[in-house]
């Protein structure tokens, strides 16, 4: 079997992997570094290619961020979405490093822009990439290539092998183009290969048959191979396999790679009903960036894993349109009929119950001063499930509907790491030369819920840490 020798091998090809490879090379330009990307070049970047921004604290306005966003406020947002189930030490550590990440990204070719207007309200909290995640990925690959990092496309890591000291000595890799296996030897390894969300069998093992109706928002190459490899070498696995970043997306989205454009952002401006025509959660609980990631899980709990976001003509200018045009009708009855005649949805809605739900909802709306940029005083009173903000009567045709399904972004079950990114063993000792960054270790901070841009913050901070740590190990053994 062919073998290759490097100082450092980085497994993965997205933001965290690239941050690790570039940071390692910054420590010593003589280091031989390989980056293994399982996808073809045109699909490189994993889920990072579909991102738009990263969340960053700042104590004063910057060229891309408005006002201020303190460490405490950032942490409070994380605490709320995880319902307190987060590691405060790790979370605050990442948060404190985010301003450095923005500047480091600029130095390595990433360009930023002010945020766009819309329902996300992120101009104060999130730094947006000019050209989106694809541009960020391309910038980092350009930097990596200029630094002499060797990039191997369509090279899928399969197994990790340890030596007599129980450090990792090699990774077994499948070269998809040549249909052959290769051993990659190195002094240090960084795993930044994403979660297991693209592996439909693993999703079904965790969720049951309902997972067959899930849509994968990102790459099809996050198959969980390294998660299984880590289990096989007795790394410490943490996290609930059913937890992850899951949002409500347009039900007409392709199975993979629909990306950010498939998300439906009008949920907080109308009502959401299931196939029985009934509401099942408060659509106006909080600002959309702090609540959009709970809706995928909510839809997953409905019969058939489908729901419907319904608004009227009054709010159409208040949100960013989805990838697909809404289903439009001049009456609620006509809207229900169109939904039931759409063969792509494969699920009927109860027309009579839908009309009753909207009628009762309209009767219980307490009118106020509507303002979708603040937590306004438009709410309902007297419903079993109240809407606490942004409640307007749905009474002005035409009526608009987006069908929804759960869209999985990434999973939270992963490997335990220390604050240098070193991987823990089952007995809580550390592998001396194995590091992890990005989605595969995000469960150290994210246990449930999500706040926009945090995944990129975690991947960037720990990617850099892992690169520095791997470089130290490699240089110590030169």
């Amino acid at each position: 079997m062919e073998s290759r020798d490097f100082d450092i091998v980085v497994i993965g090809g997205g933001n965290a992997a690239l941050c690790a490879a570039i940071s390692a090379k910054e420590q010593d330009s003589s280091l031989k570094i390989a980056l293994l990307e399982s996808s073809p070049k045109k699909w490189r970047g994993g889920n990072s290619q579909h991102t738009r921004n990263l969340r960053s604290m700042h104590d004063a306005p910057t060229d891309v961020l408005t006002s201020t966003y303190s460490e405490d406020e950032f942490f409070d947002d994380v605490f709320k979405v995880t319902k307190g189930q987060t590691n405060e030490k790790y979370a605050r550590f990442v948060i404190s490093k985010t301003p450095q990440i923005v500047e480091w990204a600029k130095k390595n070719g990433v360009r930023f822009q002010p945020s766009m207007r819309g329902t996300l309200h992120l101009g104060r909290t999130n730094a947006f990439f000019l050209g989106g995640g694809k541009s960020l990925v391309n910038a980092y690959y350009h930097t990596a290539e200029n630094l002499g990092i060797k990039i191997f496309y369509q090279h899928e890591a399969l197994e990790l092998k340890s030596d007599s000291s129980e450090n990792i000595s090699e990774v077994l890799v499948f070269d998809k183009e040549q249909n052959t296996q290769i051993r990659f030897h190195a002094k240090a390894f960084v795993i930044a290969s994403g979660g297991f969300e693209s592996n439909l069998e693993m999703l079904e093992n965790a969720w049951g048959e309902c997972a067959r109706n899930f849509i994968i928002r990102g790459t099809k190459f996050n198959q969980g191979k390294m998660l299984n490899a880590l289990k096989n070498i007795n790394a410490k696995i943490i996290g609930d396999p059913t937890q992850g970043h899951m949002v409500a997306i347009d039900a007409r989205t392709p199975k993979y790679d629909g990306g950010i454009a498939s998300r439906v952002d009008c949920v907080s401006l109308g009502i959401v009903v299931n196939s029985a025509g009934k509401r099942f959660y408060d659509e106006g609980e909080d600002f959309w960036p702090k609540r959009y990631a709970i809706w995928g899980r909510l839809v997953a709990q409905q019969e058939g894993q489908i729901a419907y976001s319904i608004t009227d003509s009054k709010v159409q200018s208040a949100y960013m349109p989805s990838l697909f045009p809404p289903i439009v009708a001049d009456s609620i009855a006509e809207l229900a009929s169109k939904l039931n005649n759409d063969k792509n949805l494969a699920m009927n809605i109860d027309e009579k119950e839908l009309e009753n739900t909207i009628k009762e909802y309209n009767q219980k709306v307490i009118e106020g001063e509507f303002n979708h940029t603040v937590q306004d005083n438009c709410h309902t009173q007297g419903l079993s499930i109240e809407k606490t903000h942004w409640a307007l009567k749905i009474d002005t045709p035409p009526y608009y509907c987006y069908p929804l399904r759960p869209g999985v972004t990434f999973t939270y079950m992963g490997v335990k790491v220390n604050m240098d990114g070193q991987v823990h063993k089952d007995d809580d000792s550390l592998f001396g030369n194995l590091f992890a960054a990005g989605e595969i270790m995000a469960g150290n901070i994210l246990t449930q819920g999500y706040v926009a841009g945090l995944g990129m913050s975690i991947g960037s901070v720990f990617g850099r840490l892992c690169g520095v740590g791997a470089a130290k190990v490699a240089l110590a053994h030169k």
Side-chain angles (χ1 to χ4, degrees), residues 349-364:
I349 189 168
D350 187 317
E351 296 184 25
K352 186 173 182 59
E353 193 59 48
L354 175 61
E355 289 185 290
N356 290 338
T357 293
I358 292 177
K359 180 180 179 181
E360 182 186 19
Y361 170 81
N362 287 344
Q363 290 172 345
K364 303 298 183 181

Side-chain angles (χ1 to χ4, degrees), residues 121-420:
H121 316 294
L122 294 175
R124 186 174 67 88
T125 59
N126 290 47
F128 279 70
F129 316 128
L130 180 63
K134 192 70 172 178
S135 290
L136 172 136
V137 165
N138 288 343
Y140 281 156
Y141 270 103
H142 180 72
T143 297
E145 289 164 356
N146 286 343
L147 290 172
I149 295 166
K150 181 68 174 173
I151 298 164
F152 295 86
Y153 294 107
Q154 298 199 69
H155 278 60
E156 183 176 39
L158 304 175
E159 297 178 29
L160 297 166
K161 307 280 188 177
S162 58
D163 59 22
S164 56
S165 67
E166 294 192 356
N167 281 335
I168 305 305
S169 58
E170 67 178 65
V171 57
L172 183 64
V173 177
F174 179 59
D175 181 341
K176 298 178 183 178
E177 284 188 303
Q178 300 300 320
N179 195 31
T180 188
Q181 292 186 348
I182 307 170
R183 290 192 177 100
F184 278 75
H185 300 274
K187 301 177 180 69
F189 297 82
V190 178
I191 301 178
S193 53
F196 68 86
E197 67 279 354
S198 309
N199 189 316
L200 303 183
E201 183 179 347
M202 289 181 72
L203 276 183
E204 189 167 342
N205 286 340
W207 277 88
E209 289 186 8
C210 70
R212 297 175 186 178
N213 289 323
F214 295 177
I215 298 171
I216 315 307
R217 297 177 71 205
T219 179
K220 63 183 178 183
F221 296 99
N222 283 5
Q223 292 289 326
K225 296 284 178 68
M226 281 295 96
L227 182 59
N228 288 329
L230 286 162
K231 290 178 181 178
N232 290 338
I233 61 168
N234 296 318
K236 187 160 192 173
I237 305 301
I238 60 171
D240 180 343
T242 70
Q243 289 290 350
H245 180 9
M246 182 186 291
V247 308
I249 66 172
D250 196 300
R252 298 163 290 183
T253 302
K255 190 68 172 178
Y256 294 100
D257 281 304
I260 195 112
S262 65
R263 193 180 65 210
V264 175
D265 281 345
C266 59
V267 165
S268 61
L269 301 173
I271 65 169
V272 177
V273 299
N274 54 26
S275 60
K278 296 180 180 293
R279 293 174 61 241
F280 51 90
Y281 198 81
D282 176 4
E283 302 90 348
E285 183 179 40
D286 203 344
F287 287 117
W288 191 229
K290 299 178 183 179
R291 284 295 177 268
Y292 78 100
I294 71 171
W295 278 90
R297 196 173 188 87
L298 289 169
V299 175
Q301 293 165 354
Q302 306 308 307
E303 183 181 358
Q305 294 70 58
I306 195 163
Y308 307 89
S309 176
I310 297 173
T311 59
D312 67 10
S313 60
K314 295 193 293 292
V315 298
Q316 294 312 299
S317 64
Y319 67 92
M320 194 175 297
S322 177
L323 178 64
F324 298 94
I327 297 165
V328 184
D330 290 324
S331 70
I332 297 301
E334 182 190 1
L335 188 66
S337 178
K338 283 188 173 183
L339 292 171
N340 288 339
N341 289 322
D342 190 330
K343 295 179 181 178
N344 293 322
L345 300 181
M347 193 80 187
N348 283 347
I349 189 168
D350 187 317
E351 296 184 25
K352 186 173 182 59
E353 193 59 48
L354 175 61
E355 289 185 290
N356 290 338
T357 293
I358 292 177
K359 180 180 179 181
E360 182 186 19
Y361 170 81
N362 287 344
Q363 290 172 345
K364 303 298 183 181
V365 167
I366 305 298
E367 295 184 2
E369 296 179 11
F370 176 78
N371 185 346
H372 73 281
T373 67
V374 299
Q375 290 184 330
D376 69 10
N377 60 353
C378 298
H379 63 283
T380 63
Q381 186 174 312
L383 295 174
S384 59
I385 300 174
E386 302 285 15
K387 184 174 181 183
T388 49
H389 303 288
W390 312 298
L392 293 175
K393 292 181 179 180
I394 301 174
D395 62 358
T396 308
Y399 302 99
Y400 298 80
C401 177
Y402 286 98
L404 307 176
R405 283 210 184 275
V408 187
T409 312
F410 66 92
T411 46
Y412 291 168
M413 187 171 76
V415 66
K416 184 179 180 181
V417 299
N418 70 4
M419 289 179 68
D420 292 320

